[in-house]
Each structure stands twice: as structure tokens, then as C-alpha cells.
Amino acid sequence: MRPLRVGVQLPEVERVVRWPEYVAMARAAEEVGFDSIWVGDHLLYRGDGRPERGPWDAWTLLAGLACVTERVALGPLVACTAFRRPGLLARAAAAVDELSGGRLVLGLGAGWNEPEFRAFGIPFGDRVARFAEALQIIRRLFDGERVTFAADHETVSDAVLLPAPARRPPFMVGATGPRMLAAALPHVDAWNTWFDVYGNTPQGFAELDATVDQAARAAGRDPSDIERSACALVVLDRGAGERQIPDGMAPLEGSADAIAAHLQALAEAGADEAILVVSPINERSIRTLGDALAALGGRDR
């Protein structure tokens, strides 16, 4: 079993966060031993019974974080391929990877939040087909090809990434549907799932992980070649109210040893990485979770 890597998602729309606080949290994550930091890629949230809200642009934020950190991997959790033309998304990713010195993980997905698509004039239909076409273009561009491609939704003509990227960053898909897995698994290096999909339990993750094994084999891949990443809900203060706890779901909470034990159980269930989604998410929480990382032990730093 490979040592478990542990990342943390920085604030998205829990509250309005200004740049100096992002810098403080990112640097704290490096100091206490997190392996990666992540930001959501959304345009806005509305119509869910809560106040209208939206995060900063993910790629601009990642570029800034690349320049104020030195060690941690960083990436979008996950970038919606519909929000930018695939060639432009590849260019943004290449620039962030360059700024970070090769620390980007390119998380990709098809998106799900219909109101933000409609608000910004982005087609919501055929999302899986659009994702499949975009992923082919992005992957081929990072493979160094000059890409000409024409299909139902995406067209490029002799497209190329210049300056040439120093490397192809790892690709990670955030999806569980069979069509998305069939489209992504031939191309990606890792798979990620959100905590409410697998119930935030090691057993739930192991069951979902087994379906990814099957999908990988169907795609002609050795399942062991695809790393597994699990977002895990952590609640340090139930009174903070930054994250709604889904009915019937138990978050990770309690002592550092208790949180570390749950993370170790996730690793034993097949996770190569746990990305902590924390309530509240602030510098203090990140530093507090450093104790759980220390209790977990046996990890690459």
C-alpha cells in the first residue's frame, strides 16, 4: 500500500475570502505537512435556498497560489471543461504548471450546476459528450501534438501549445458515472470522488473504488495504473455552520488521532490520496489538522 497523501480544499463560497487570507492558508498548509491544496472551479451558486454567491476565478487563483508556495501540489477540484474552450483551458493549465515549477494536478470534470451554465451562456446539454471531446484535445495538446479535431461540439485546427510545456501534468477526473468513466479512464492518471458520493466512509469508498476497477479494465487500463483520490468531510466546529452535513452522514471529527485513524482506514480501503473538505476552513483549522497529519505518519513530505 502506497503512503497516503493528504490535501486540503481552500475556501470556495463558505464566505468571502480575500487574497491575503488565501496566502496565509496556503503557506500554513505547507508548513504543517499537507501534500496539496485545491480550489473549486465554479462561476456562481444560486437557487438553492441560500444567498447567491460565487468564488474567485479558479485559474487566476491557482496562478497566484503557485507563486506563494514552494512544495505543495495544487490544482482545480475539478476544472469544468465546459467553462473554457479546451485549447484555452490547456494553455491556462500549462501556465500554472510552469509558474509552480511542475506542481499542477489537472483535475477535470463535466460540471453539474445548471444555473451557472445558464447564467453565463454555456450550453448545459450533452455535457458528457462535450467533456469527452475536450479531454481528447487537452490530452493531445499536452502530449506535444499539433491537433486538428472536428466533432459535434469542439473544433480545433492545427492547435499547438506554445511555449511548449516542460511536462504533461497528471490528469485527474472527478466523476463516477459510467459514461464519464468510459470517456476519461483511457486518458487520466487519477480518479477523484466527493464525500457525499461514497458516504464519507472507508467501506463506501471501497465499494465505489471497485466499480472504478471494473471501468478501468473495460477501458483497457490496468486498474493499478490509476490512482484513487477521496474528498473527505472534516468538521472541527459544528457551530461554524460553513458546511451543511448531509443527513445520515458522519463527518470526520474528534481528536487528531481519531481523524488520523479514519484517514488510515481510507488508505486501507484503496485511497492513494485524501483531500480534506473542512468546516470551518481557515488558517487555524489547517494548523489544527497538522496534528492529525503528524499522527497519521508514514507519508511522503
Side-chain angles (χ1 to χ4, degrees), residues 38 41 59 76-82 86 89-90 93 105-111 131 134-136 138-139 142 170-175 180 184 187-188 190-192:
W38 302 83
D41 183 25
W59 287 105
L77 192 67
V78 289
C80 178
T81 56
L89 196 159
V105 178
L106 182 50
L108 297 170
F131 169 84
L135 178 57
Q136 288 186 56
I138 296 166
R139 178 61 191 261
F142 270 109
F171 281 40
M172 181 179 79
V173 64
M180 282 290 291
H187 304 285
V188 301
W191 161 82
N192 171 266

PDB file of all heavy atoms in Angstrom, residues 38 41 59 76-82 86 89-90 93 105-111 131 134-136 138-139 142 170-175 180 184 187-188 190-192:
ATOM      1  N   TRP A  38      -6.147  22.741  -3.023  1.00  0.00           N
ATOM      2  CA  TRP A  38      -7.096  22.650  -4.128  1.00  0.00           C
ATOM      3  C   TRP A  38      -8.095  23.794  -4.049  1.00  0.00           C
ATOM      4  O   TRP A  38      -8.437  24.263  -2.958  1.00  0.00           O
ATOM      5  CB  TRP A  38      -7.853  21.316  -4.062  1.00  0.00           C
ATOM      6  CG  TRP A  38      -6.944  20.133  -4.090  1.00  0.00           C
ATOM      7  CD1 TRP A  38      -6.278  19.586  -3.018  1.00  0.00           C
ATOM      8  CD2 TRP A  38      -6.569  19.367  -5.228  1.00  0.00           C
ATOM      9  NE1 TRP A  38      -5.515  18.524  -3.432  1.00  0.00           N
ATOM     10  CE2 TRP A  38      -5.666  18.365  -4.783  1.00  0.00           C
ATOM     11  CE3 TRP A  38      -6.906  19.423  -6.577  1.00  0.00           C
ATOM     12  CZ2 TRP A  38      -5.105  17.428  -5.655  1.00  0.00           C
ATOM     13  CZ3 TRP A  38      -6.353  18.491  -7.445  1.00  0.00           C
ATOM     14  CH2 TRP A  38      -5.467  17.503  -6.973  1.00  0.00           C
ATOM     15  N   ASP A  41     -13.810  25.031  -8.996  1.00  0.00           N
ATOM     16  CA  ASP A  41     -13.982  25.768 -10.255  1.00  0.00           C
ATOM     17  C   ASP A  41     -15.475  25.937 -10.506  1.00  0.00           C
ATOM     18  O   ASP A  41     -16.121  25.073 -11.109  1.00  0.00           O
ATOM     19  CB  ASP A  41     -13.318  25.019 -11.410  1.00  0.00           C
ATOM     20  CG  ASP A  41     -13.415  25.790 -12.737  1.00  0.00           C
ATOM     21  OD1 ASP A  41     -13.537  27.029 -12.694  1.00  0.00           O
ATOM     22  OD2 ASP A  41     -13.372  25.153 -13.798  1.00  0.00           O
ATOM     23  N   TRP A  59      -8.528  29.541 -12.115  1.00  0.00           N
ATOM     24  CA  TRP A  59      -7.208  29.526 -12.742  1.00  0.00           C
ATOM     25  C   TRP A  59      -6.374  30.740 -12.352  1.00  0.00           C
ATOM     26  O   TRP A  59      -5.148  30.637 -12.182  1.00  0.00           O
ATOM     27  CB  TRP A  59      -7.340  29.393 -14.252  1.00  0.00           C
ATOM     28  CG  TRP A  59      -7.743  28.007 -14.615  1.00  0.00           C
ATOM     29  CD1 TRP A  59      -8.975  27.581 -15.018  1.00  0.00           C
ATOM     30  CD2 TRP A  59      -6.927  26.833 -14.526  1.00  0.00           C
ATOM     31  NE1 TRP A  59      -8.975  26.223 -15.195  1.00  0.00           N
ATOM     32  CE2 TRP A  59      -7.730  25.737 -14.907  1.00  0.00           C
ATOM     33  CE3 TRP A  59      -5.605  26.613 -14.171  1.00  0.00           C
ATOM     34  CZ2 TRP A  59      -7.255  24.441 -14.946  1.00  0.00           C
ATOM     35  CZ3 TRP A  59      -5.112  25.311 -14.206  1.00  0.00           C
ATOM     36  CH2 TRP A  59      -5.930  24.242 -14.584  1.00  0.00           C
ATOM     37  N   PRO A  76      -7.202  22.366  -9.602  1.00  0.00           N
ATOM     38  CA  PRO A  76      -8.640  22.601  -9.505  1.00  0.00           C
ATOM     39  C   PRO A  76      -9.349  21.321  -9.104  1.00  0.00           C
ATOM     40  O   PRO A  76      -8.980  20.224  -9.517  1.00  0.00           O
ATOM     41  CB  PRO A  76      -9.017  22.999 -10.936  1.00  0.00           C
ATOM     42  CG  PRO A  76      -8.042  22.225 -11.788  1.00  0.00           C
ATOM     43  CD  PRO A  76      -6.766  22.124 -10.989  1.00  0.00           C
ATOM     44  N   LEU A  77     -10.397  21.485  -8.284  1.00  0.00           N
ATOM     45  CA  LEU A  77     -11.149  20.320  -7.801  1.00  0.00           C
ATOM     46  C   LEU A  77     -12.619  20.471  -8.183  1.00  0.00           C
ATOM     47  O   LEU A  77     -13.439  20.821  -7.363  1.00  0.00           O
ATOM     48  CB  LEU A  77     -11.001  20.230  -6.278  1.00  0.00           C
ATOM     49  CG  LEU A  77     -11.469  18.944  -5.610  1.00  0.00           C
ATOM     50  CD1 LEU A  77     -10.590  17.788  -6.028  1.00  0.00           C
ATOM     51  CD2 LEU A  77     -11.463  19.090  -4.108  1.00  0.00           C
ATOM     52  N   VAL A  78     -12.986  20.150  -9.398  1.00  0.00           N
ATOM     53  CA  VAL A  78     -12.141  19.948 -10.568  1.00  0.00           C
ATOM     54  C   VAL A  78     -12.518  21.001 -11.603  1.00  0.00           C
ATOM     55  O   VAL A  78     -13.577  21.609 -11.498  1.00  0.00           O
ATOM     56  CB  VAL A  78     -12.308  18.537 -11.184  1.00  0.00           C
ATOM     57  CG1 VAL A  78     -11.710  17.482 -10.297  1.00  0.00           C
ATOM     58  CG2 VAL A  78     -13.784  18.211 -11.471  1.00  0.00           C
ATOM     59  N   ALA A  79     -11.652  21.225 -12.618  1.00  0.00           N
ATOM     60  CA  ALA A  79     -11.948  22.217 -13.646  1.00  0.00           C
ATOM     61  C   ALA A  79     -13.049  21.715 -14.563  1.00  0.00           C
ATOM     62  O   ALA A  79     -12.990  20.598 -15.072  1.00  0.00           O
ATOM     63  CB  ALA A  79     -10.693  22.520 -14.453  1.00  0.00           C
ATOM     64  N   CYS A  80     -14.054  22.550 -14.772  1.00  0.00           N
ATOM     65  CA  CYS A  80     -15.139  22.200 -15.689  1.00  0.00           C
ATOM     66  C   CYS A  80     -14.682  22.473 -17.121  1.00  0.00           C
ATOM     67  O   CYS A  80     -14.368  23.610 -17.478  1.00  0.00           O
ATOM     68  CB  CYS A  80     -16.383  23.007 -15.357  1.00  0.00           C
ATOM     69  SG  CYS A  80     -17.753  22.693 -16.481  1.00  0.00           S
ATOM     70  N   THR A  81     -14.658  21.425 -17.930  1.00  0.00           N
ATOM     71  CA  THR A  81     -14.179  21.583 -19.306  1.00  0.00           C
ATOM     72  C   THR A  81     -15.111  22.433 -20.154  1.00  0.00           C
ATOM     73  O   THR A  81     -14.712  22.907 -21.226  1.00  0.00           O
ATOM     74  CB  THR A  81     -13.989  20.214 -19.983  1.00  0.00           C
ATOM     75  OG1 THR A  81     -15.225  19.480 -19.924  1.00  0.00           O
ATOM     76  CG2 THR A  81     -12.886  19.415 -19.304  1.00  0.00           C
ATOM     77  N   ALA A  82     -16.344  22.670 -19.688  1.00  0.00           N
ATOM     78  CA  ALA A  82     -17.276  23.487 -20.461  1.00  0.00           C
ATOM     79  C   ALA A  82     -17.038  24.977 -20.281  1.00  0.00           C
ATOM     80  O   ALA A  82     -17.512  25.780 -21.093  1.00  0.00           O
ATOM     81  CB  ALA A  82     -18.713  23.160 -20.056  1.00  0.00           C
ATOM     82  N   PRO A  86     -11.352  23.992 -24.927  1.00  0.00           N
ATOM     83  CA  PRO A  86     -10.312  23.077 -24.450  1.00  0.00           C
ATOM     84  C   PRO A  86      -8.889  23.551 -24.687  1.00  0.00           C
ATOM     85  O   PRO A  86      -8.007  23.361 -23.833  1.00  0.00           O
ATOM     86  CB  PRO A  86     -10.609  21.781 -25.205  1.00  0.00           C
ATOM     87  CG  PRO A  86     -11.553  22.144 -26.300  1.00  0.00           C
ATOM     88  CD  PRO A  86     -12.311  23.317 -25.813  1.00  0.00           C
ATOM     89  N   LEU A  89      -8.185  26.156 -22.014  1.00  0.00           N
ATOM     90  CA  LEU A  89      -8.003  25.517 -20.711  1.00  0.00           C
ATOM     91  C   LEU A  89      -6.618  24.885 -20.632  1.00  0.00           C
ATOM     92  O   LEU A  89      -5.923  25.009 -19.618  1.00  0.00           O
ATOM     93  CB  LEU A  89      -9.099  24.469 -20.490  1.00  0.00           C
ATOM     94  CG  LEU A  89      -9.309  23.955 -19.069  1.00  0.00           C
ATOM     95  CD1 LEU A  89     -10.709  23.363 -18.918  1.00  0.00           C
ATOM     96  CD2 LEU A  89      -8.276  22.916 -18.665  1.00  0.00           C
ATOM     97  N   ALA A  90      -6.194  24.236 -21.709  1.00  0.00           N
ATOM     98  CA  ALA A  90      -4.856  23.636 -21.727  1.00  0.00           C
ATOM     99  C   ALA A  90      -3.779  24.697 -21.575  1.00  0.00           C
ATOM    100  O   ALA A  90      -2.779  24.495 -20.873  1.00  0.00           O
ATOM    101  CB  ALA A  90      -4.652  22.848 -23.018  1.00  0.00           C
ATOM    102  N   ALA A  93      -3.662  25.790 -17.939  1.00  0.00           N
ATOM    103  CA  ALA A  93      -3.037  24.750 -17.126  1.00  0.00           C
ATOM    104  C   ALA A  93      -1.530  24.720 -17.338  1.00  0.00           C
ATOM    105  O   ALA A  93      -0.753  24.567 -16.376  1.00  0.00           O
ATOM    106  CB  ALA A  93      -3.650  23.394 -17.456  1.00  0.00           C
ATOM    107  N   VAL A 105      -1.738  19.459 -10.636  1.00  0.00           N
ATOM    108  CA  VAL A 105      -2.519  18.268 -10.967  1.00  0.00           C
ATOM    109  C   VAL A 105      -3.764  18.771 -11.691  1.00  0.00           C
ATOM    110  O   VAL A 105      -4.526  19.577 -11.139  1.00  0.00           O
ATOM    111  CB  VAL A 105      -2.918  17.466  -9.719  1.00  0.00           C
ATOM    112  CG1 VAL A 105      -3.785  16.263 -10.111  1.00  0.00           C
ATOM    113  CG2 VAL A 105      -1.682  17.009  -8.958  1.00  0.00           C
ATOM    114  N   LEU A 106      -3.967  18.323 -12.916  1.00  0.00           N
ATOM    115  CA  LEU A 106      -5.049  18.852 -13.748  1.00  0.00           C
ATOM    116  C   LEU A 106      -6.325  18.033 -13.523  1.00  0.00           C
ATOM    117  O   LEU A 106      -6.572  17.031 -14.195  1.00  0.00           O
ATOM    118  CB  LEU A 106      -4.640  18.846 -15.224  1.00  0.00           C
ATOM    119  CG  LEU A 106      -5.662  19.418 -16.212  1.00  0.00           C
ATOM    120  CD1 LEU A 106      -6.161  20.787 -15.773  1.00  0.00           C
ATOM    121  CD2 LEU A 106      -5.049  19.490 -17.602  1.00  0.00           C
ATOM    122  N   GLY A 107      -7.110  18.469 -12.529  1.00  0.00           N
ATOM    123  CA  GLY A 107      -8.401  17.840 -12.278  1.00  0.00           C
ATOM    124  C   GLY A 107      -9.432  18.346 -13.259  1.00  0.00           C
ATOM    125  O   GLY A 107      -9.560  19.551 -13.488  1.00  0.00           O
ATOM    126  N   LEU A 108     -10.197  17.429 -13.849  1.00  0.00           N
ATOM    127  CA  LEU A 108     -11.162  17.770 -14.895  1.00  0.00           C
ATOM    128  C   LEU A 108     -12.497  17.087 -14.651  1.00  0.00           C
ATOM    129  O   LEU A 108     -12.558  15.956 -14.155  1.00  0.00           O
ATOM    130  CB  LEU A 108     -10.633  17.352 -16.266  1.00  0.00           C
ATOM    131  CG  LEU A 108      -9.347  18.027 -16.746  1.00  0.00           C
ATOM    132  CD1 LEU A 108      -8.820  17.321 -17.996  1.00  0.00           C
ATOM    133  CD2 LEU A 108      -9.576  19.507 -17.027  1.00  0.00           C
ATOM    134  N   GLY A 109     -13.580  17.774 -15.017  1.00  0.00           N
ATOM    135  CA  GLY A 109     -14.908  17.203 -14.933  1.00  0.00           C
ATOM    136  C   GLY A 109     -15.835  17.907 -15.898  1.00  0.00           C
ATOM    137  O   GLY A 109     -15.446  18.883 -16.571  1.00  0.00           O
ATOM    138  N   ALA A 110     -17.080  17.449 -15.941  1.00  0.00           N
ATOM    139  CA  ALA A 110     -18.039  17.976 -16.907  1.00  0.00           C
ATOM    140  C   ALA A 110     -18.919  19.076 -16.338  1.00  0.00           C
ATOM    141  O   ALA A 110     -19.634  19.743 -17.090  1.00  0.00           O
ATOM    142  CB  ALA A 110     -18.930  16.843 -17.424  1.00  0.00           C
ATOM    143  N   GLY A 111     -18.871  19.305 -15.015  1.00  0.00           N
ATOM    144  CA  GLY A 111     -19.762  20.275 -14.398  1.00  0.00           C
ATOM    145  C   GLY A 111     -21.120  19.670 -14.099  1.00  0.00           C
ATOM    146  O   GLY A 111     -21.505  18.641 -14.666  1.00  0.00           O
ATOM    147  N   PHE A 131     -17.458  16.859 -22.741  1.00  0.00           N
ATOM    148  CA  PHE A 131     -16.276  16.554 -21.935  1.00  0.00           C
ATOM    149  C   PHE A 131     -15.342  15.605 -22.680  1.00  0.00           C
ATOM    150  O   PHE A 131     -14.121  15.808 -22.706  1.00  0.00           O
ATOM    151  CB  PHE A 131     -16.709  15.918 -20.611  1.00  0.00           C
ATOM    152  CG  PHE A 131     -15.574  15.332 -19.814  1.00  0.00           C
ATOM    153  CD1 PHE A 131     -14.815  16.129 -18.977  1.00  0.00           C
ATOM    154  CD2 PHE A 131     -15.259  13.989 -19.901  1.00  0.00           C
ATOM    155  CE1 PHE A 131     -13.760  15.603 -18.248  1.00  0.00           C
ATOM    156  CE2 PHE A 131     -14.209  13.444 -19.184  1.00  0.00           C
ATOM    157  CZ  PHE A 131     -13.453  14.253 -18.355  1.00  0.00           C
ATOM    158  N   ALA A 134     -13.467  17.474 -25.358  1.00  0.00           N
ATOM    159  CA  ALA A 134     -12.496  18.405 -24.789  1.00  0.00           C
ATOM    160  C   ALA A 134     -11.292  17.666 -24.218  1.00  0.00           C
ATOM    161  O   ALA A 134     -10.137  18.089 -24.407  1.00  0.00           O
ATOM    162  CB  ALA A 134     -13.165  19.246 -23.701  1.00  0.00           C
ATOM    163  N   LEU A 135     -11.536  16.559 -23.525  1.00  0.00           N
ATOM    164  CA  LEU A 135     -10.437  15.810 -22.916  1.00  0.00           C
ATOM    165  C   LEU A 135      -9.471  15.292 -23.975  1.00  0.00           C
ATOM    166  O   LEU A 135      -8.244  15.334 -23.787  1.00  0.00           O
ATOM    167  CB  LEU A 135     -11.000  14.649 -22.093  1.00  0.00           C
ATOM    168  CG  LEU A 135      -9.970  13.738 -21.426  1.00  0.00           C
ATOM    169  CD1 LEU A 135      -9.043  14.523 -20.505  1.00  0.00           C
ATOM    170  CD2 LEU A 135     -10.674  12.623 -20.654  1.00  0.00           C
ATOM    171  N   GLN A 136      -9.998  14.821 -25.096  1.00  0.00           N
ATOM    172  CA  GLN A 136      -9.117  14.355 -26.165  1.00  0.00           C
ATOM    173  C   GLN A 136      -8.195  15.469 -26.651  1.00  0.00           C
ATOM    174  O   GLN A 136      -6.991  15.266 -26.849  1.00  0.00           O
ATOM    175  CB  GLN A 136      -9.946  13.826 -27.324  1.00  0.00           C
ATOM    176  CG  GLN A 136     -10.644  12.506 -27.063  1.00  0.00           C
ATOM    177  CD  GLN A 136     -11.312  11.991 -28.324  1.00  0.00           C
ATOM    178  OE1 GLN A 136     -10.666  11.812 -29.358  1.00  0.00           O
ATOM    179  NE2 GLN A 136     -12.621  11.765 -28.262  1.00  0.00           N
ATOM    180  N   ILE A 138      -7.309  18.305 -25.048  1.00  0.00           N
ATOM    181  CA  ILE A 138      -6.373  18.723 -23.994  1.00  0.00           C
ATOM    182  C   ILE A 138      -5.245  17.712 -23.853  1.00  0.00           C
ATOM    183  O   ILE A 138      -4.065  18.086 -23.771  1.00  0.00           O
ATOM    184  CB  ILE A 138      -7.132  18.907 -22.660  1.00  0.00           C
ATOM    185  CG1 ILE A 138      -8.140  20.047 -22.772  1.00  0.00           C
ATOM    186  CG2 ILE A 138      -6.148  19.170 -21.516  1.00  0.00           C
ATOM    187  CD1 ILE A 138      -9.157  20.090 -21.645  1.00  0.00           C
ATOM    188  N   ARG A 139      -5.584  16.446 -23.841  1.00  0.00           N
ATOM    189  CA  ARG A 139      -4.550  15.424 -23.678  1.00  0.00           C
ATOM    190  C   ARG A 139      -3.576  15.438 -24.858  1.00  0.00           C
ATOM    191  O   ARG A 139      -2.351  15.376 -24.672  1.00  0.00           O
ATOM    192  CB  ARG A 139      -5.208  14.045 -23.543  1.00  0.00           C
ATOM    193  CG  ARG A 139      -4.228  12.874 -23.426  1.00  0.00           C
ATOM    194  CD  ARG A 139      -3.342  12.997 -22.195  1.00  0.00           C
ATOM    195  NE  ARG A 139      -2.258  12.045 -22.201  1.00  0.00           N
ATOM    196  CZ  ARG A 139      -2.263  10.897 -21.529  1.00  0.00           C
ATOM    197  NH1 ARG A 139      -3.314  10.549 -20.812  1.00  0.00           N
ATOM    198  NH2 ARG A 139      -1.233  10.087 -21.564  1.00  0.00           N
ATOM    199  N   PHE A 142      -1.151  18.371 -24.649  1.00  0.00           N
ATOM    200  CA  PHE A 142      -0.089  18.160 -23.667  1.00  0.00           C
ATOM    201  C   PHE A 142       0.857  17.039 -24.077  1.00  0.00           C
ATOM    202  O   PHE A 142       1.989  16.979 -23.581  1.00  0.00           O
ATOM    203  CB  PHE A 142      -0.680  17.882 -22.288  1.00  0.00           C
ATOM    204  CG  PHE A 142      -0.889  19.128 -21.469  1.00  0.00           C
ATOM    205  CD1 PHE A 142      -2.166  19.607 -21.224  1.00  0.00           C
ATOM    206  CD2 PHE A 142       0.186  19.829 -20.965  1.00  0.00           C
ATOM    207  CE1 PHE A 142      -2.364  20.751 -20.472  1.00  0.00           C
ATOM    208  CE2 PHE A 142       0.013  20.975 -20.221  1.00  0.00           C
ATOM    209  CZ  PHE A 142      -1.267  21.443 -19.976  1.00  0.00           C
ATOM    210  N   PRO A 170      -0.092  15.518 -14.306  1.00  0.00           N
ATOM    211  CA  PRO A 170      -1.028  14.406 -14.097  1.00  0.00           C
ATOM    212  C   PRO A 170      -2.457  14.868 -14.340  1.00  0.00           C
ATOM    213  O   PRO A 170      -2.844  15.955 -13.928  1.00  0.00           O
ATOM    214  CB  PRO A 170      -0.810  14.025 -12.625  1.00  0.00           C
ATOM    215  CG  PRO A 170       0.494  14.630 -12.240  1.00  0.00           C
ATOM    216  CD  PRO A 170       0.676  15.844 -13.095  1.00  0.00           C
ATOM    217  N   PHE A 171      -3.238  14.021 -15.009  1.00  0.00           N
ATOM    218  CA  PHE A 171      -4.650  14.296 -15.250  1.00  0.00           C
ATOM    219  C   PHE A 171      -5.471  13.512 -14.218  1.00  0.00           C
ATOM    220  O   PHE A 171      -5.214  12.335 -13.970  1.00  0.00           O
ATOM    221  CB  PHE A 171      -5.071  13.826 -16.651  1.00  0.00           C
ATOM    222  CG  PHE A 171      -4.690  14.749 -17.767  1.00  0.00           C
ATOM    223  CD1 PHE A 171      -3.472  15.395 -17.791  1.00  0.00           C
ATOM    224  CD2 PHE A 171      -5.563  14.959 -18.823  1.00  0.00           C
ATOM    225  CE1 PHE A 171      -3.117  16.232 -18.836  1.00  0.00           C
ATOM    226  CE2 PHE A 171      -5.231  15.793 -19.874  1.00  0.00           C
ATOM    227  CZ  PHE A 171      -4.003  16.435 -19.889  1.00  0.00           C
ATOM    228  N   MET A 172      -6.467  14.178 -13.628  1.00  0.00           N
ATOM    229  CA  MET A 172      -7.365  13.528 -12.679  1.00  0.00           C
ATOM    230  C   MET A 172      -8.802  13.822 -13.074  1.00  0.00           C
ATOM    231  O   MET A 172      -9.142  14.968 -13.362  1.00  0.00           O
ATOM    232  CB  MET A 172      -7.104  14.035 -11.258  1.00  0.00           C
ATOM    233  CG  MET A 172      -7.987  13.396 -10.197  1.00  0.00           C
ATOM    234  SD  MET A 172      -7.611  14.000  -8.526  1.00  0.00           S
ATOM    235  CE  MET A 172      -8.454  15.593  -8.551  1.00  0.00           C
ATOM    236  N   VAL A 173      -9.658  12.809 -13.095  1.00  0.00           N
ATOM    237  CA  VAL A 173     -11.063  13.019 -13.402  1.00  0.00           C
ATOM    238  C   VAL A 173     -11.874  12.971 -12.113  1.00  0.00           C
ATOM    239  O   VAL A 173     -11.631  12.142 -11.240  1.00  0.00           O
ATOM    240  CB  VAL A 173     -11.601  11.970 -14.402  1.00  0.00           C
ATOM    241  CG1 VAL A 173     -11.570  10.562 -13.839  1.00  0.00           C
ATOM    242  CG2 VAL A 173     -13.012  12.336 -14.862  1.00  0.00           C
ATOM    243  N   GLY A 174     -12.810  13.898 -12.007  1.00  0.00           N
ATOM    244  CA  GLY A 174     -13.745  13.880 -10.898  1.00  0.00           C
ATOM    245  C   GLY A 174     -15.114  13.485 -11.407  1.00  0.00           C
ATOM    246  O   GLY A 174     -15.883  14.325 -11.870  1.00  0.00           O
ATOM    247  N   ALA A 175     -15.426  12.200 -11.367  1.00  0.00           N
ATOM    248  CA  ALA A 175     -16.686  11.698 -11.911  1.00  0.00           C
ATOM    249  C   ALA A 175     -16.894  10.265 -11.453  1.00  0.00           C
ATOM    250  O   ALA A 175     -15.928   9.558 -11.149  1.00  0.00           O
ATOM    251  CB  ALA A 175     -16.680  11.746 -13.441  1.00  0.00           C
ATOM    252  N   MET A 180     -18.986   8.911 -18.079  1.00  0.00           N
ATOM    253  CA  MET A 180     -17.825   9.749 -17.795  1.00  0.00           C
ATOM    254  C   MET A 180     -16.577   8.897 -17.570  1.00  0.00           C
ATOM    255  O   MET A 180     -15.489   9.234 -18.056  1.00  0.00           O
ATOM    256  CB  MET A 180     -18.098  10.619 -16.570  1.00  0.00           C
ATOM    257  CG  MET A 180     -18.973  11.823 -16.853  1.00  0.00           C
ATOM    258  SD  MET A 180     -18.124  13.090 -17.857  1.00  0.00           S
ATOM    259  CE  MET A 180     -16.898  13.681 -16.691  1.00  0.00           C
ATOM    260  N   ALA A 184     -13.134   9.050 -19.689  1.00  0.00           N
ATOM    261  CA  ALA A 184     -11.938   9.597 -19.047  1.00  0.00           C
ATOM    262  C   ALA A 184     -10.850   8.572 -18.777  1.00  0.00           C
ATOM    263  O   ALA A 184      -9.661   8.883 -18.905  1.00  0.00           O
ATOM    264  CB  ALA A 184     -12.330  10.268 -17.734  1.00  0.00           C
ATOM    265  N   HIS A 187      -7.501   8.044 -20.496  1.00  0.00           N
ATOM    266  CA  HIS A 187      -6.586   9.172 -20.622  1.00  0.00           C
ATOM    267  C   HIS A 187      -5.995   9.670 -19.304  1.00  0.00           C
ATOM    268  O   HIS A 187      -5.006  10.399 -19.335  1.00  0.00           O
ATOM    269  CB  HIS A 187      -7.311  10.357 -21.278  1.00  0.00           C
ATOM    270  CG  HIS A 187      -7.916  10.040 -22.603  1.00  0.00           C
ATOM    271  ND1 HIS A 187      -7.170   9.902 -23.754  1.00  0.00           N
ATOM    272  CD2 HIS A 187      -9.213   9.818 -22.964  1.00  0.00           C
ATOM    273  CE1 HIS A 187      -7.978   9.616 -24.770  1.00  0.00           C
ATOM    274  NE2 HIS A 187      -9.212   9.566 -24.318  1.00  0.00           N
ATOM    275  N   VAL A 188      -6.601   9.346 -18.155  1.00  0.00           N
ATOM    276  CA  VAL A 188      -6.233  10.026 -16.917  1.00  0.00           C
ATOM    277  C   VAL A 188      -5.292   9.178 -16.065  1.00  0.00           C
ATOM    278  O   VAL A 188      -5.167   7.972 -16.239  1.00  0.00           O
ATOM    279  CB  VAL A 188      -7.482  10.416 -16.099  1.00  0.00           C
ATOM    280  CG1 VAL A 188      -8.381  11.342 -16.908  1.00  0.00           C
ATOM    281  CG2 VAL A 188      -8.244   9.181 -15.628  1.00  0.00           C
ATOM    282  N   ALA A 190      -5.485   9.658 -12.544  1.00  0.00           N
ATOM    283  CA  ALA A 190      -6.095   9.541 -11.222  1.00  0.00           C
ATOM    284  C   ALA A 190      -7.590   9.784 -11.326  1.00  0.00           C
ATOM    285  O   ALA A 190      -8.078  10.419 -12.279  1.00  0.00           O
ATOM    286  CB  ALA A 190      -5.460  10.523 -10.251  1.00  0.00           C
ATOM    287  N   TRP A 191      -8.299   9.281 -10.333  1.00  0.00           N
ATOM    288  CA  TRP A 191      -9.756   9.431 -10.236  1.00  0.00           C
ATOM    289  C   TRP A 191     -10.083   9.961  -8.853  1.00  0.00           C
ATOM    290  O   TRP A 191      -9.494   9.546  -7.851  1.00  0.00           O
ATOM    291  CB  TRP A 191     -10.425   8.075 -10.465  1.00  0.00           C
ATOM    292  CG  TRP A 191     -11.837   7.979  -9.975  1.00  0.00           C
ATOM    293  CD1 TRP A 191     -12.966   8.404 -10.616  1.00  0.00           C
ATOM    294  CD2 TRP A 191     -12.273   7.400  -8.732  1.00  0.00           C
ATOM    295  NE1 TRP A 191     -14.079   8.137  -9.850  1.00  0.00           N
ATOM    296  CE2 TRP A 191     -13.684   7.516  -8.694  1.00  0.00           C
ATOM    297  CE3 TRP A 191     -11.617   6.795  -7.661  1.00  0.00           C
ATOM    298  CZ2 TRP A 191     -14.442   7.048  -7.609  1.00  0.00           C
ATOM    299  CZ3 TRP A 191     -12.363   6.334  -6.585  1.00  0.00           C
ATOM    300  CH2 TRP A 191     -13.759   6.458  -6.569  1.00  0.00           C
ATOM    301  N   ASN A 192     -11.030  10.909  -8.797  1.00  0.00           N
ATOM    302  CA  ASN A 192     -11.431  11.521  -7.533  1.00  0.00           C
ATOM    303  C   ASN A 192     -12.936  11.434  -7.349  1.00  0.00           C
ATOM    304  O   ASN A 192     -13.699  11.524  -8.316  1.00  0.00           O
ATOM    305  CB  ASN A 192     -10.992  12.998  -7.499  1.00  0.00           C
ATOM    306  CG  ASN A 192     -11.578  13.752  -6.314  1.00  0.00           C
ATOM    307  OD1 ASN A 192     -12.628  14.386  -6.420  1.00  0.00           O
ATOM    308  ND2 ASN A 192     -10.900  13.675  -5.186  1.00  0.00           N
TER     309      ASN A 192
END
